[in-house]
């Protein structure tokens, strides 16, 4: 548990603090970006300025200002501002805060604001411990999380709070933050300049994360100082941050957003987009078997019998991911993703099984036609004849296979592309030629017979 912050503590801390901490905005006016969440005229800004804040959950990517906003509120509120760590704090810590808040409210009419960073790390029991205090306004809760609170925060606690979403900072926001850090006395105080290409490189590397951008600037300045130069160029930036760290949490929202974009790109027949999102997952350390499983599902769900080969390609990619692993299996995944994107599409397989299951769940109980029933029982001689398709030169015969009340074409609707369309067209033409669809041979055009 920590009280935020005395001036003396702050000055001592700033002497050794990283650039990202030293440049943390102190007022709402200094806060860059997030105008939709906390801009002039918004509910949140008005509540902060009038010191009438109620419980909120701040939700958004890392480095977008959630904790910063909590610090700003701490500096301007008249309420007692307390923080509990979601990593090391327990139920006993929460109960102590709530007890102290209750005493302050009843004896001194003093409100207490409790800040919990990464609130999703609290267990369900820890979150439950806050419920009555939040509901009775013994405390005003500010929770911050990078995870979707609708999945990670207890519904009762969520219903007592207002969710405020923070978005990834824009390039111009990051540029403004970096420019200020170069000249501000709390930052580099004019000791270094940043060439345009280096500025763009840091912005690009940051992925919309202000903390990451300031950390890269600080490290690049240290490299420049070691080389006895005052202008930071792309070489120093590259040495400070050799690889781009795009946001990707294998258990968070970005994980689901990127895999969704990957699947939709393959479905949309865009191989460039498919391999881009594939690369994002690979660079983020995604499990290759997870990617391969999604490709395997896609092969039947979105391609199906328009190209039956797709399922074999997808299965081969899964086996490669399983047996080879990174880095080599990225080539197998790339081949499979491109194949899926370029293949003709059909969702008839998934539609057919969904329609059949709906019929089974909601339709009447339909008996197996007698001629299809098992013959290994007394009385089966009365079932009627079953015609064996292989006895026919064509390899099939016309007989009832569906139960009474269902007609052919009720459940399976073939797609109009690829092997499926060709095959169903071919069967239909053969059926017409044989007079099985109620059309005489004389009625079939010469085009249909070709």
């Amino acid at each position: 548990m920590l009280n935020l912050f005395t001036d003396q503590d702050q000055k001592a801390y700033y002497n050794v603090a990283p650039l990202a901490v030293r440049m943390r905005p102190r007022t709402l006016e200094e806060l860059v970006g997030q105008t939709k969440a906390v801009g002039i005229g918004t509910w949140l800004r008005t509540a902060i300025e009038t010191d009438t804040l109620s419980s909120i959950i701040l939700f958004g990517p890392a480095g977008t200002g959630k904790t910063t906003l909590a610090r700003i509120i701490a500096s301007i509120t008249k309420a007692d501002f307390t923080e509990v760590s979601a990593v090391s704090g327990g139920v006993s810590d929460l109960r102590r805060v709530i007890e102290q808040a209750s005493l302050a409210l009843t004896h001194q009419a003093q409100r207490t604001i409790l800040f919990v960073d990464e609130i999703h790390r609290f267990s369900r029991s820890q979150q439950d411990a806050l419920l009555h205090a939040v509901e009775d306004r013994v405390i005003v809760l500010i929770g911050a999380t990078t995870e979707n609170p609708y999945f990670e925060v207890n519904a009762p606690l969520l219903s007592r709070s207002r969710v405020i979403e923070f978005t990834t900072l824009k390039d111009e926001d990051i540029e403004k933050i970096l420019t200020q850090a170069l000249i501000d006395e709390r930052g580099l105080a004019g000791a270094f300049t940043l060439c345009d290409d280096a500025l763009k490189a840091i912005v690009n590397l940051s992925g919309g994360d202000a903390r990451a951008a300031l950390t890269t600037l600080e490290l690049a300045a240290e490299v420049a100082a070691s080389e006895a130069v005052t202008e930071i160029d792309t070489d120093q930036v590259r040495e400070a941050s050799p690889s781009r760290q795009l946001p990707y949490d294998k258990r968070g929202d970005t994980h689901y957003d990127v895999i969704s974009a990957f699947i939709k790109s393959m479905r949309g027949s865009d191989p460039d987009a498919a391999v881009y999102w594939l690369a994002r997952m690979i660079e983020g350390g995604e499990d290759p078997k997870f990617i391969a499983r999604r490709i395997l599902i896609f092969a039947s769900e979105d391609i199906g019998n328009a190209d039956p080969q797709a399922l074999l390609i997808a299965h081969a990619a899964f086996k490669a991911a399983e047996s080879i692993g990174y880095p080599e299996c990225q080539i197998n995944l790339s081949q499979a993703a491109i194949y899926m994107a370029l293949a003709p599409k059909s969702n008839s397989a998934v539609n057919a099984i969904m329609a059949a299951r709906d019929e089974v769940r909601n339709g009447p109980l339909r008996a197996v036609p007698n001629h299809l029933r098992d013959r290994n029982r007394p009385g089966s001689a009365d079932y009627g004849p079953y015609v064996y398709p292989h006895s026919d030169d064509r390899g099939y015969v016309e007989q009832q296979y569906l139960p009474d009340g269902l007609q052919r074409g009720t459940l399976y609707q073939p797609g109009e592309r690829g092997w499926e369309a060709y095959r169903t067209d071919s069967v239909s033409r053969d059926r017409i030629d044989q007079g099985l669809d109620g059309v005489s041979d004389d009625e079939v055009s010469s085009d249909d017979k070709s």
Side-chain angles (χ1 to χ4, degrees):
M1 190 169 64
L2 177 68
N3 281 28
L4 304 177
F5 277 115
T6 67
D7 289 341
Q8 185 175 354
D9 290 340
Q10 200 170 48
K11 289 176 182 178
Y13 183 54
Y14 277 169
N15 289 333
V16 295
L19 178 63
V21 173
R22 302 199 308 271
M23 288 304 302
R24 194 186 293 279
R26 297 158 296 187
T27 66
L28 291 173
E29 288 69 30
E30 290 182 359
L31 186 66
V32 176
Q34 311 307 339
T35 54
K36 185 176 180 180
V38 72
I40 295 174
T42 61
W43 168 84
L44 180 56
R45 190 182 188 106
T46 301
I48 293 170
E49 291 177 336
T50 57
D51 204 11
T52 56
L53 187 67
S54 57
S55 293
I56 57 173
I57 303 291
L58 303 176
F59 156 51
T64 53
K66 302 184 298 296
T67 303
T68 291
L69 181 62
R71 301 290 193 266
I72 292 172
I73 293 171
S75 68
I76 63 178
T77 184
K78 295 177 182 177
D80 181 40
F81 196 98
T82 303
E83 181 176 358
V84 170
S85 170
V87 176
S88 59
V91 173
S92 60
D93 295 309
L94 294 176
R95 286 173 177 163
R96 186 165 53 251
V97 170
I98 292 169
E99 183 180 352
Q100 292 172 351
S102 180
L103 290 174
L105 188 63
T106 54
H107 294 168
Q108 304 167 22
Q110 176 79 17
R111 294 188 310 137
T112 298
I113 296 177
L114 171 63
F115 175 54
V116 182
D117 201 4
E118 300 299 323
I119 192 172
H120 62 274
R121 294 181 182 273
F122 264 165
S123 67
R124 296 295 179 183
S125 61
Q126 288 171 305
Q127 292 183 30
D128 286 342
L130 294 168
L131 283 178
H132 292 301
V134 171
E135 184 173 27
D136 297 338
R137 292 207 174 180
V138 173
I139 61 170
V140 173
L141 173 67
I142 301 178
T145 177
T146 55
E147 304 294 334
N148 191 327
Y150 295 102
F151 297 128
E152 302 297 335
V153 177
N154 283 4
L157 186 58
L158 202 61
S159 68
R160 292 161 173 79
S161 309
R162 183 161 178 168
V163 177
I164 306 293
E165 184 172 1
F166 276 35
T167 57
T168 300
L169 293 174
K170 298 177 182 177
D171 287 355
E172 53 265 34
D173 295 331
I174 299 293
E175 288 182 6
K176 184 175 180 181
I177 290 168
L178 291 170
T179 302
Q180 184 62 32
L182 285 167
I183 61 175
D184 197 294
E185 289 298 322
R186 296 175 298 153
L188 300 181
F192 297 91
T193 58
L194 193 61
C195 73
D196 290 342
D197 287 344
L199 175 62
K200 291 177 182 177
I202 296 177
V203 170
N204 188 48
L205 286 165
S206 73
D209 184 330
R211 187 184 301 110
L214 289 169
T215 299
T216 301
L217 174 61
E218 184 175 27
L219 293 174
E222 290 174 0
V223 174
S226 69
E227 297 174 356
V229 296
T230 58
E231 183 180 59
I232 300 170
D233 60 23
T234 53
D235 289 336
Q236 282 95 36
V237 172
R238 193 176 299 110
E239 187 172 346
S241 184
S243 62
R244 187 180 188 188
Q245 299 298 316
L246 289 174
Y248 191 86
D249 183 343
K250 287 183 283 185
R251 292 175 296 277
D253 276 358
T254 306
H255 159 85
Y256 295 108
D257 288 343
V258 173
I259 193 64
S260 176
F262 175 61
I263 292 166
K264 288 181 173 70
S265 297
M266 292 191 295
R267 184 181 297 139
S269 301
D270 189 332
D272 294 287
V275 293
Y276 172 81
W277 296 116
L278 173 62
R280 281 285 295 272
M281 290 187 285
I282 292 171
E283 288 296 314
E286 185 60 80
D287 182 353
K289 294 192 293 296
F290 169 79
I291 302 172
R293 281 195 297 271
R294 301 304 302 184
I295 295 175
L296 194 56
I297 296 166
F298 180 91
S300 289
E301 184 176 7
D302 288 283
I303 297 174
N305 288 320
D307 182 357
Q309 185 76 10
L311 186 58
L312 302 180
I313 297 290
H315 183 260
F318 178 82
K319 295 304 292 183
E322 189 175 48
S323 59
I324 299 173
Y326 286 144
E328 290 84 357
C329 78
Q330 67 180 313
I331 305 169
N332 308 110
L333 294 174
S334 176
Q335 178 186 354
I338 292 170
Y339 190 99
M340 301 302 144
L342 296 177
K345 305 299 189 294
S346 170
N347 64 350
S348 63
V350 66
N351 287 344
I353 188 60
M354 293 304 175
R357 291 190 65 188
D358 182 66
E359 165 61 32
V360 169
R361 284 193 300 263
N362 302 312
L365 178 62
R366 301 183 189 275
V368 177
N370 281 343
H371 61 284
L372 299 183
R373 295 173 67 185
D374 177 55
R375 301 280 169 159
N376 297 310
R377 63 176 65 143
S380 62
D382 299 328
Y383 286 172
Y386 165 68
V387 185
Y388 190 54
H390 293 291
S391 300
D392 192 284
D393 292 340
R394 299 163 303 170
Y396 68 87
V397 293
E398 186 71 9
Q399 63 185 329
Q400 180 184 358
Y401 293 102
L402 284 164
D404 291 341
L406 292 177
Q407 300 298 319
R408 187 168 180 163
T410 302
L411 305 176
Y412 169 63
Q413 301 289 333
E416 300 177 353
R417 292 170 291 279
W419 180 89
E420 180 177 45
Y422 165 78
R423 184 74 190 100
T424 50
D425 249 359
S426 175
V427 170
S428 296
R429 290 175 187 228
D430 192 29
R431 286 161 56 82
I432 291 171
D433 287 344
Q434 298 298 325
L436 298 175
D437 277 352
V439 181
S440 69
D441 193 59
D442 293 338
E443 294 176 288
V444 181
S445 69
S446 60
D447 287 341
D448 287 331
K449 288 183 172 182
S450 61

